[in-house]
Structure formats: structure tokens, C-alpha cells
């Protein structure tokens, strides 16, 4: 057996290219995941393949075209650079692999490589700070199913959510402090939205609107996405010594009104109506800049904000390959391997 420890970094993924066929293939794989759209199989197939994808694929392709760079998809090439930096920091006792849940480079190919090299230990590390069934859960379940399919006998270690790790909080605080906070009227922490029903599965019998997690992390909140994003915000705000009136929390990327609220775009309009014309936006559910940050926030939300009379909307760059983020990952890996 290989005495090194294999580390598999897992992120969501990206289309292979900004073309209609590639984007359609990616959306088909992504949206047909039962943990992403958690409705009965037949209804999901009809909704995704006959309604959502046909009506969404051309618009999504245009967005990816705008996002694409000479190096390709930012999510992919940034993740590849992060993988190499983490490898350099961990040294020869570890070998770091990258596998996307959907698309290329895929987690299955990465696990096949790991299997071929005969590692005795494998660390699965989904790059999602807060646990959700559509991110962390689907990544871990898919990876473990593939490990079983390949007959891998290595010891498996999992790194689940890490939203409350001091190293992670400090990394985002460092990013935020790259901006002069005195130059902004307000800070908005924007998180990827989820359907209310997915959140309520974490605490059966407690509806989202009746949950106390906006004020403090409740007893049931360990894996409640809404609870953990509010806790993430509190931890960052405390480090920055922000007053409660200095910041707000919103959710973006919604597909319907029955998703977590408040919605970030509506929150921006509300703050603008209060005379807050210079807004700093932080997105702590994303560790890598992607379509949801670079385009949705920094382009679409910013454009709308300025059109309505705002003066500036500034997105804080995500952790990407920042040194503090690499060191955070080193800590997570070594903690999992103890």
C-alpha cells in the first residue's frame, strides 16, 4: 500500500466549454441530481429535462461566455492552481487530487487515479464551508459510492463543513480587510440560496420562518444551512468589530419565491432606499469565484444597483488561491488525518 495520504478536493464543477451542447450536458447532470432538486423522480425528470433546461440553456450559455477567460472556466483553473499550492504546502506525505462533482475534471477519474496508486488513506474534502444536501452531502455520497464501486480498501476520512473554523473565518476577514470599510455605507453577506423545504429537512417540524437560527446557533443547527450561514456571518462580523446595523445577510441564486429569504437583490434595493449608496458584498458560501460571484453579484447586481441610483457595489474577492486559504486547507487536511 502507498504510505502517502491521498487528498481529494471536490467542488461543484463547470461546463467543459461555453457552448450550448456543453452547458446542456452540465445542467442535465447537475439538475438531475436528486439532492439538488429533491422532488419525486418522475416529476424531477419532467421539470428538469422538459422545462428548466430547454428554457434556461441559451441564457446560461451566454453567461458562461461572459465568464470564460483565455484560461477557461475560473472555477476550474483556480481550483487547479489551488490544488498545486496545497500540494506544495503539504509536502511529500500527501498527494492532492481535484475532482468536480459534475463535469471535468471529474471525481470518478480522480478516484480511479487514487485507486491505481494504492493509497492506504484518503481524505475527502468538499470545498463548501456550510453543509447542504445539494453540495457537501451529494459530493461525499457520490465519492463514497464510487470508492465502493472501485473496491478501494483505504481508510476514508471526511472533512464536512468548516464554516466555524477560526482559520476559515480569518481567511475571509483578511480578504474583507483588503478594502477600506470606512468607504462603504453598508456590508451585505450574500449566500447561495436553497429551497425552504431542504432546510426544513434538517429540523423536521420547525418551519424556516419559526427557526431561531437568525439570532444564535440553535441545538438543531449543526447541519442546518440557514443556521450555519448566520453563524458564519456573526463570526466574521465579530472579528471585524461590526455593529449590528453595519451589515445584513441575504440569499442569492434563487429559482422560486419559496427559497430562503431575504433575497440579496431585494436587500440591495432596500438599503439603497435607506440612502446606503456604497455597498460592500461578501459571499462566504463560495471559496472560489465563479458565475454566482463574478457575474451574478459583481455584474448583474452591481449594474442594477447603479441604475437605481447607487454609487458603488464592490464584491470582495473570494478566497481562491490566497495564502491564508491554502493554510486553512492544510489545517483541515492534517486535522482529518490525526
Amino acid at each position: 500500500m502507498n504510505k502517502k495520504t491521498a487528498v481529494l478536493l471536490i467542488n461543484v464543477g463547470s461546463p467543459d466549454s461555453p457552448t450550448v451542447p456543453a452547458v446542456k450536458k452540465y445542467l442535465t447532470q447537475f439538475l438531475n441530481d436528486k439532492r439538488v432538486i429533491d422532488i419525486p423522480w418522475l416529476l424531477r425528470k419532467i421539470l428538469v429535462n422538459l422545462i428548466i433546461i430547454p428554457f434556461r440553456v441559451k441564457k446560461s450559455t451566454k453567461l458562461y461566455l461572459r465568464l470564460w477567460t483565455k484560461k477557461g472556466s475560473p472555477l476550474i483553473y483556480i481550483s487547479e492552481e489551488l490544488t498545486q499550492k496545497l500540494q506544495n504546502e503539504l509536502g511529500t506525505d500527501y498527494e492532492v487530487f481535484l475532482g468536480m462533482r459534475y463535469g471535468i475534471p471529474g471525481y470518478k477519474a480522480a478516484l480511479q487515479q487514487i485507486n491505481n496508486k494504492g493509497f492506504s488513506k484518503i481524505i475527502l474534502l468538499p470545498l463548501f464551508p456550510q453543509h447542504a444536501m445539494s453540495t457537501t452531502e451529494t459530493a461525499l455520497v457520490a465519492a463514497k459510492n464510487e470508492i465502493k464501486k472501485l473496491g478501494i480498501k483505504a481508510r476514508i476520512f471526511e472533512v464536512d463543513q468548516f464554516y466555524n473554523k477560526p482559520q476559515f473565518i480569518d481567511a475571509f476577514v483578511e480578504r474583507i480587510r483588503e478594502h477600506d470599510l470606512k468607504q462603504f455605507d453598508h456590508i451585505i453577506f450574500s449566500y447561495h440560496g436553497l429551497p425552504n423545504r431542504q432546510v426544513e429537512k434538517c429540523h423536521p417540524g420547525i418551519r424556516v420562518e419559526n427557526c431561531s437560527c437568525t439570532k444564535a446557533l440553535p441545538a438543531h443547527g449543526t447541519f442546518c444551512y440557514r443556521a450555519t450561514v448566520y453563524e458564519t456571518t456573526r463570526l466574521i462580523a465579530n472579528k471585524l468589530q461590526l455593529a449590528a446595523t453595519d451589515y445584513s445577510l441575504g440569499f442569492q441564486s434563487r429559482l422560486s419565491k419559496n427559497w430562503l429569504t431575504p433575497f440579496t437583490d431585494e436587500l440591495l434595493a432596500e438599503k439603497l432606499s435607506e440612502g446606503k449608496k456604497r455597498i460592500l458584498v461578501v459571499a462566504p458560501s463560495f471559496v472560489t469565484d465563479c458565475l454566482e460571484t463574478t457575474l451574478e453579484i459583481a455584474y448583474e447586481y452591481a449594474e442594477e444597483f447603479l441604475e437605481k441610483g447607487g454609487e458603488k457595489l464592490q464584491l470582495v474577492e473570494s478566497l481562491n488561491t490566497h495564502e491564508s486559504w491554502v493554510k486553512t486547507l492544510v489545517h483541515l487536511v492534517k486535522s482529518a488525518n490525526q
Side-chain angles (χ1 to χ4, degrees), residues 20 22 62 282 311:
V20 170
K62 289 179 181 178
V282 189
E311 295 178 3

Side-chain angles (χ1 to χ4, degrees), residues 26-94:
Y26 172 76
L27 291 178
T28 299
Q29 187 180 11
F30 173 50
L31 296 176
N32 276 288
D33 186 335
K34 66 181 181 181
R35 288 181 171 81
V36 173
I37 298 184
D38 58 326
I39 58 179
W41 179 86
L42 182 58
L43 183 57
R44 183 172 65 253
K45 292 298 180 183
I46 294 171
L47 178 65
V48 170
N49 301 304
L50 299 182
I51 300 175
I52 296 179
I53 292 177
F55 284 94
R56 185 173 174 179
V57 65
K58 289 185 178 179
K59 180 182 179 181
S60 294
T61 301
K62 289 179 181 178
L63 293 174
Y64 279 109
L65 270 169
R66 185 177 292 155
L67 178 71
W68 227 254
T69 72
K70 291 180 180 178
K71 297 169 71 173
S73 165
L75 180 67
I76 302 301
Y77 74 74
I78 291 172
S79 296
E80 290 173 341
E81 292 171 9
L82 176 67
T83 300
Q84 187 56 57
K85 286 192 173 185
L86 179 58
Q87 180 66 72
N88 294 342
E89 284 293 320
L90 286 172
T92 57
D93 290 338
Y94 297 84

